């Protein structure tokens, strides 16, 4: 007779996500995950199948927690320039305010796993494309309303802005100086003028 799970799956994934952000995939052991989640290694394997399975669940949670609200914010905005500025300011505040200097799981997974794990690559592609598509919709509408110049493709602008966001996350992990990050954000935002 199978035993029922006696732990909160979401809390376990959240704890694992923090460890993966701190140590990366390769630097994280099953022992690290067991300590962080409070689960035995057998429970981790039973619930997720493997360390990889838990990592994929952490990527899914990261998308739900960080990318999905960003997409909602972009879709709810009216003034394209103001919404994109708010997005950059929020990101800079998040990066500069993170006293632990936790890595962006998307950036970490891109560098560490995406080149040889198609499941990871597809999750990352899907996550970044969702943000890029929401940005495209906002920018295209902003161009129609005359809020931003129409001399550049909304698609190219959206791709550039996503690249800039991820670059700010990388640089923020190296040097989380808010003023320096905002200067870079202002350069990126100038493409909307």
């Amino acid at each position: 007779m199978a035993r029922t799970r006696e732990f909160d799956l979401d809390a376990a994934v959240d704890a694992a996500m923090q460890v993966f952000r701190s140590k990366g995939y390769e630097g994280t052991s099953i022992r690290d995950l067991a300590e962080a989640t409070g689960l035995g290694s057998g429970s981790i394997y039973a619930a997720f199948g493997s360390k990889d399975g838990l990592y994929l669940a952490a990527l899914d949670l990261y998308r739900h927690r960080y990318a999905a609200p960003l997409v909602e914010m972009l879709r709810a905005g009216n003034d394209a320039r103001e919404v994109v500025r708010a997005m950059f300011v929020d990101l800079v505040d998040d990066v500069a305010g993170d006293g632990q200097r936790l890595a962006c799981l998307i950036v970490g997974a891109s560098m560490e796993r995406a080149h040889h794990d198609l499941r990871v690559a597809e999750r990352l592609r899907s996550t970044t494309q969702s943000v890029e598509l929401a940005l495209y919709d906002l920018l295209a509408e902003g161009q129609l309303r005359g809020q931003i110049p129409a001399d550049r493709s909304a698609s190219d602008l959206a791709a550039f802005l996503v690249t800039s966001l991820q670059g700010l996350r990388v640089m923020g992990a190296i040097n989380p100086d808010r003023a320096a990050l905002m200067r870079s954000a202002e350069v990126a935002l100038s493409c909307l003028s």
Side-chain angles (χ1 to χ4, degrees), residues 5-128:
R5 286 195 186 120
E6 299 175 9
F7 59 88
D8 182 344
L9 208 58
D10 292 336
V13 174
D14 182 56
M17 180 179 70
Q18 301 310 321
V19 175
F20 287 128
R21 288 182 71 193
S22 176
K23 295 185 170 195
Y25 178 85
E26 295 300 333
T28 299
S29 68
I30 287 290
R31 176 182 224 150
D32 294 329
L33 294 169
E35 287 176 12
T37 62
L39 304 175
S41 58
S43 294
I44 291 173
Y45 286 111
F48 303 101
S50 64
K51 175 181 162 182
D52 284 346
L54 183 49
Y55 188 69
L56 294 174
L59 285 173
D60 292 341
L61 177 62
Y62 195 83
R63 175 185 179 147
H64 176 74
R65 184 168 293 161
Y66 296 103
L70 179 57
V71 168
E72 286 180 29
M73 180 183 106
L74 293 169
R75 293 191 191 264
N78 287 325
D79 185 310
R81 197 175 290 157
E82 285 181 20
V83 172
V84 174
R85 174 174 290 287
M87 175 182 68
F88 272 86
V89 170
D90 287 352
L91 180 133
V92 168
D93 287 344
D94 182 50
V95 170
D98 176 14
Q100 300 177 51
R101 291 180 146 179
L102 291 175
C104 169
L105 198 56
I106 293 171
V107 172
S110 298
M111 301 308 295
E112 193 175 21
R113 306 280 305 158
H115 61 283
H116 61 81
D117 188 328
L118 294 177
R119 298 164 306 162
V120 170
E122 180 50 40
R123 277 174 168 81
L124 300 178
R125 192 172 13 264
S126 173
T127 298
T128 56

Side-chain angles (χ1 to χ4, degrees), residues 96-168:
D98 176 14
Q100 300 177 51
R101 291 180 146 179
L102 291 175
C104 169
L105 198 56
I106 293 171
V107 172
S110 298
M111 301 308 295
E112 193 175 21
R113 306 280 305 158
H115 61 283
H116 61 81
D117 188 328
L118 294 177
R119 298 164 306 162
V120 170
E122 180 50 40
R123 277 174 168 81
L124 300 178
R125 192 172 13 264
S126 173
T127 298
T128 56
Q129 284 176 344
S130 69
V131 174
E132 190 173 321
L133 180 59
L135 260 171
Y136 167 78
D137 290 343
L138 177 71
L139 296 172
E141 183 65 29
Q143 287 177 329
L144 288 174
R145 293 180 179 180
Q147 296 167 345
I148 52 176
D151 60 336
R152 289 191 180 115
S153 153
S155 178
D156 291 345
L157 287 171
F160 171 73
L161 291 170
V162 168
T163 300
S164 298
L165 287 168
Q166 293 307 106
L168 284 170

